[in-house]
Amino acid sequence: MHTIKIGGVPEHFNLPWHLTIEEGAYLEKDIQLEWTDFPGGTGAMCEALRKKDIDIAIILTEGIIKDIIGGNPSKIVQTYIQSPLVWGIHVGHTSKYTSLNELQNTSAAISRYGSGSHLMAYINAQNTGWDTTNLQFEVVKNLDGAVEALTDGSADYFMWEHFTTKPLVDNKTFRRIADCPTPWPCFVIAVREEILNTKKDQLKDILQIINNTSLDFKQIPSIDKTLAHRYDQKLEDIREWLQITEWSQSIIDQKTLNEIQNQLLTLDIIDKTINSKDLIFEV
């Protein structure tokens, strides 16, 4: 039995992984696939890959690109979610801020440096015409930390996936004042190079199983109700999310990788670009 450790955010995007693990699909291929939730998001997963705490990460595209360029010995093997991620821009419900422009030169809560919430603050600032050198950050670790920070005023706004935070908007913990979609496919599958070199056959089996499931995921009977129940979401929100979300079974193209690198370089998030072929591995 080959034990392979995988991690991802505890969000609705990753239900295909949980369904395939629960039905024993990987065990049939002599693979014990062990899932770990990462509420801290991309930054926490990058660290876990580096420490060999996990072998595979379902991770934000821009975050893992930044970390591979920074020395993370991992490669992208496939796009997982082809569609953009819609980031909600949130303030505390009683915050004095009511529009996006008012947030210029205020403090953004982020899960950690190098996380999606950190990188997307730069994208949002660029989109809005702010000076990115004036961005201020408060590290809050996860969504619970953001609730605390926006409630007690130690941070002013927080960017997180629109539908994950929707219950907090509905219960008047947060107010969402804008959305900021990523300008590229949002989630990829990244694998440590050691695993690519030693367990390539098992990785092929894993990708085949998850791709067969994600290909027809939206057609699973009552999948909207299953998602709503498991992730504590309203049915109408899940149906809206399913309409705008597209899974992928293909490797990310080099043109997109170059565009992302150039965007990150422009924002001074990375200090160099590399050959896009060095970011990917074709299993």
Side-chain angles (χ1 to χ4, degrees), residues 81-130:
I81 301 290
Q82 179 64 37
S83 46
L85 191 71
V86 180
W87 291 80
I89 304 172
H90 306 86
V91 296
H93 185 73
T94 59
S95 169
K96 65 181 180 181
Y97 300 113
T98 58
S99 71
L100 185 57
N101 286 335
E102 292 174 5
L103 294 176
Q104 187 172 3
N105 301 323
T106 65
S107 174
I110 60 172
S111 53
R112 64 176 68 200
Y113 287 96
S115 67
S117 51
H118 176 223
L119 302 187
M120 284 304 297
Y122 281 92
I123 300 293
N124 174 61
Q126 184 189 51
N127 291 347
T128 317
W130 300 348

Side-chain angles (χ1 to χ4, degrees), residues 65 120 156 162 174 202 208 215 222:
I65 287 174
M120 284 304 297
D156 298 303
H162 174 108
F174 286 165
Q202 288 73 36
Q208 183 177 31
L215 188 64
S222 299

Side-chain angles (χ1 to χ4, degrees), residues 6 14-21 26 35 58 80 206 210:
I6 182 170
N14 286 323
L15 184 58
W17 290 102
H18 295 293
L19 294 179
T20 49
I21 290 171
Y26 305 101
W35 180 274
I58 315 306
Y80 178 60
I206 290 169
I210 195 62

